[in-house]
Amino acid sequence: MNILVINQPLKNRGDESAHKALIRKLLEEYPNVKITVLFPGSVSTNDVEQFHVKDIRVDYVIHPLFISWYVYQSIKLGLYYHMRFLWDVVPSVKSWLSYFKQSDLVICAPGGICMGGFQNWMHLFNLVCAKYCHKPLAYYGRSFGPFPTRSRSNRRFKRVSMEMLSYFSYLSIRDKKTQMLADSLNLHYTSVVDTAFLDSPRVTIPTVVHDEIGDSNYFVFVPNLLVWHYAYTNRLSSDDVIIFFSDLLEEVFQVCPNLKCIMLPQTFGYKADYANDRNFFLSIKKRVQDDRIIVADDNMSSDIQQSVIAKSSFIIGARYHSVVFAINNAVPFIALSYEHKISGLLDLLGKGDCMIDIESLILTLEGRRKIIEMVVELLGKIVADENAMNHAKEMAEYGIHCFKETYKWLA
């Protein structure tokens, strides 16, 4: 059986962990499967290699889909006006479609709200390709929505999204708020959590990191610049965010003077400062000027990051997968929720008491001070919770069970 995986996000350690866990699980459940992970030519070989699951049954393909004006127009006409027959006469798109036609099943890789808030047309194009080629399509472990209708583009995007939501043969949703939206649309879905919970990687921590930590106890700190997010663009400045997280870190050091702090970059391969976690973290370290701060290299894999987190005292995370990693390793955590995928996950697991909703608070100086006060208060209350970890893993396994029931013929 041939499985085609599409829409795999890159340059993010959380997406890497979700990808590796799902692929490893599929290989375990279907020993005779052949998996092709398809990327457009705009991605870099190095970024794709960071995600590789080393197995002869998995092939990572970077296809030279060149989005010229001509190609773009054919894709747009196909999406906007259902003129999808054009895709079979444009050579590069026809070649792209050949991977869909050769597959028995198409899986949209786990990830964020590309179908919704970020309004990613390439994401939607790939989904429609599966339908155009009459292939069963699994939308696995995703969040989606909201669907604004202010502009003509918004309305078009929503229309095509609704078409695809009704086409999926398997739909699993990883957060409560997306599930509420699905309920309002009368969609059938499986309630799951992030696919990273399917795996519990344990690898050797690199010597360079181990030497910096020494025998000291430490906590993990994963802030988020946020200005890249559509909800905060032009509403926050980078300086505001750097000052806020620097002040927060100084307050945590006041409460935990004997702990070192390790900052784990979640993004990698970005040149732009707004998307480069390591540069952002170094700006915080420069402002705080404390030798207890360790900023890890951004080439540290998600498997290594989880091994580092597993040995930490606690984690403060403003990125979704940093919270996933904490729960997956039964490490106490404080989640700073900037969008519904974090709060939705914690609602599903009954861990809302470990979360601070920063969506509106972070927009004002007074609100940012309030967040710091709430973090300091929570530090004395958070504890390890193996029940939450086990519950998350059970939900992730249930998603695989339902997937197997949907596609019994894969066996």
Side-chain angles (χ1 to χ4, degrees), residues 244 247-248 251 368-376:
F244 162 67
D247 291 347
L248 172 57
E251 287 296 323
R368 293 192 286 273
R369 289 171 177 163
K370 179 65 175 177
I371 294 169
I372 293 173
E373 292 173 4
M374 295 167 74
V375 168
V376 171

Side-chain angles (χ1 to χ4, degrees), residues 323-343:
V323 177
V324 169
F325 292 171
I327 297 170
N328 199 36
N329 292 278
V331 171
F333 68 91
I334 297 174
L336 305 180
S337 176
Y338 65 93
E339 69 172 21
H340 72 262
K341 64 183 180 182
I342 294 179
S343 58

